[in-house]
Amino acid sequence: MFASRQLTSIARRSFSTSVAANATKVAVLGAAGGIGQPLSLLLKQSTLIDHLSLYDIVNTPGVAADLSHINTPSKVTGHVPENDGLKEALVDANVVVIPAGVPRKPGMTRDDLFKTNAGIVRDLATAAAKYCPKAHMLIISNPVNSTVPIVAEVFKKAGVYDPRRIFGVSTLDVVRASRFVSEVKSDIDPSTAVTVIGGHSGTTIIPILSKVQPSKKFTQEELDALTHRIQFGGDEVVKAKAGTGSATLSMAFAGARFALNVLEATVAGKAGIVTPTYVSLEADPEGGKVVKGETDNLEYFASNVELGPEGVKKILPIGDISEFEKKLLAEAIPQLKSNVQKGVEFVSA
Ligand code: NAD
Ligand code: LMR
């Protein structure tokens, strides 16, 4: 959907390799990985990006050389740790997308990834706080419920914290919810937006099926099955990939969609973009206060967020949800609290 729109506008623009001083730079950290490569390919199609900067501990020169032959306007550079590669990748970036880290194998929870990915995300965030403190940080690396607080704590320590600019990418839950609902209700278009709130792991993923538009009556059996499939869609892919990784292509699609939403709001000045994303509830003190009241004072939550020029503009309330959804929310809150605390303590230790 976004790709065809972007491709049409690409066709109207002339090719250029120069990058202006006020160019829009997007850095992808973990760019040579299963998500990083297709995500970078999708971002290469966007005319909102002037410079696509790819960083990984290995293989980014090859990925960048390959992508750089695509005849869209953006310049592509590839960086590895040698020669100040991380600094070069990050300096002046407007948006930093982080899919760096290890994925799950069958039998693992996302929380099992914490011991490896927490340190990776902390170190990348430390560099971003130094070299592009005003960048919008889009965190894909799991466990998102904890890695987003890690990035926030690193930015606080560095004195450059702006909660409006740090996002956990939970778009894949929204993408799955739309797709799975359309498979159950054949008159629902698969691109129909479905709100998914909470966090990004198992039972913290809460699809709000009571608000699907056009309004639908689901049987309790359908609600149970759909909710479970959306909450554990990641496991479906992990199992099917049989030890070779987790969702990469659907995640690249979701990550590119969210990154382009952020660019549209922050760089192109497009108003009215609303999408669920996992953010600090301090990002909009007024709206965040309402959601805190609805969630027993959580500090981070994926709610519908209106994006604006600075990132988060407004956090929208959960509002009126069904008794079934209220129960899911009540069950998710203690896990979300402990996931956040784990991330915060990791940085303060
Ligand atoms: P992958 O192993 O294919 O790729 C990860 C890449 O990160 C590798 O290329 C690796 O070299 C790189 N990397 C490792 N340490 C690094 C460092 N210090 N700096 C830079 N790069 C580094 O894994 P993947 O399938 O792309 O998944 C990446 C992460 O995304 C995992 O944690 C996974 O759980 C998560 N994920 C999140 C979502 C979501 O919805 N938020 C969806 C799918 C996957
Ligand atoms: C997903 O939802 O697909 C990702 O979080 C990857 C995973 O571990 O399931």
Side-chain angles (χ1 to χ4, degrees):
M1 200 176 31
F2 69 85
S4 60
R5 199 172 62 232
Q6 296 285 342
L7 283 168
T8 312
S9 58
I10 285 164
R12 290 200 200 102
R13 275 182 61 158
S14 61
F15 180 77
S16 153
T17 50
S18 61
V19 176
N22 62 349
T24 299
K25 176 172 173 180
V26 174
V28 180
L29 313 183
I35 296 168
Q37 292 201 38
L39 171 63
S40 302
L41 172 63
L42 292 170
L43 295 178
K44 180 71 179 91
Q45 298 178 52
S46 173
T47 52
L48 292 173
I49 300 170
D50 300 301
H51 181 180
L52 186 58
S53 162
L54 309 182
Y55 176 82
D56 202 302
I57 49 175
V58 286
N59 298 339
T60 32
V63 176
D66 190 354
L67 284 180
S68 73
H69 290 189
I70 295 174
N71 65 329
T72 56
S74 54
K75 164 182 150 171
V76 185
T77 55
H79 310 269
V80 284
E82 291 75 32
N83 303 319
D84 257 346
L86 185 52
K87 175 182 174 186
E88 291 300 316
L90 288 171
V91 163
D92 295 332
N94 302 72
V95 170
V96 177
V97 193
I98 309 189
V102 293
R104 283 198 288 164
K105 290 191 188 313
M108 291 173 82
T109 65
R110 291 178 185 80
D111 202 39
D112 293 334
L113 303 174
F114 187 94
K115 58 182 176 303
T116 307
N117 291 352
I120 292 174
V121 171
R122 176 200 55 207
D123 295 348
L124 294 173
T126 302
K130 187 166 175 195
Y131 299 121
C132 53
K134 294 222 168 288
H136 293 93
M137 303 292 296
L138 278 47
I139 315 306
I140 292 173
S141 314
N142 272 316
V144 167
N145 295 356
S146 303
T147 51
V148 171
I150 287 175
V151 175
E153 292 304 308
V154 166
F155 273 59
K156 283 180 197 171
K157 258 191 171 174
V160 294
Y161 178 56
D162 181 345
R164 297 172 301 175
R165 292 168 183 267
I166 299 174
F167 303 89
V169 182
S170 58
T171 317
L172 182 53
D173 301 320
V174 176
V175 166
R176 284 185 178 132
S178 299
R179 177 68 215 175
F180 299 164
V181 166
S182 79
E183 290 174 14
V184 171
K185 301 284 184 197
S186 57
D187 56 335
I188 296 263
D189 188 278
S191 67
T192 299
V194 177
T195 296
V196 183
I197 64 170
H200 177 68
S201 71
T203 52
T204 70
I205 298 169
I206 306 165
I208 304 300
L209 300 176
S210 62
K211 294 278 192 296
V212 169
Q213 289 298 332
S215 173
K216 284 285 152 216
K217 188 100 193 102
F218 294 97
T219 64
Q220 191 56 46
E221 205 181 346
E222 284 174 333
L223 278 180
D224 287 341
L226 266 173
T227 300
H228 185 271
R229 191 168 181 215
I230 295 161
Q231 291 183 324
F232 296 95
D235 298 62
E236 219 175 270
V237 182
V238 169
K239 189 169 170 224
K241 289 199 173 178
T244 62
S246 56
T248 54
L249 303 173
S250 50
M251 182 59 232
F253 172 86
R257 184 166 105 179
F258 185 68
L260 292 175
N261 278 165
V262 169
L263 285 166
E264 281 167 344
T266 59
V267 173
K270 185 171 169 186
I273 298 174
V274 175
T275 184
T277 168
Y278 181 76
V279 295
S280 161
L281 294 175
E282 289 173 4
D284 163 24
E286 209 176 302
K289 195 172 163 200
V290 176
V291 176
K292 278 183 183 216
E294 295 174 313
T295 60
D296 192 23
N297 236 9
L298 281 176
E299 290 173 67
Y300 290 82
F301 194 74
S303 193
N304 264 324
V305 165
E306 182 181 343
L307 300 172
E310 303 299 330
V312 174
K313 183 176 177 195
K314 213 182 261 181
I315 297 175
L316 302 175
I318 299 170
D320 185 24
I321 57 176
S322 70
E323 288 306 315
F324 176 67
E325 290 155 357
K326 281 182 193 160
K327 196 161 160 270
L328 296 176
L329 177 61
E331 280 164 15
I333 287 171
Q335 198 190 322
L336 283 165
K337 276 195 178 160
S338 105
N339 292 160
V340 170
Q341 196 182 350
K342 193 168 171 185
V344 171
E345 282 171 3
F346 179 76
V347 179
S348 62

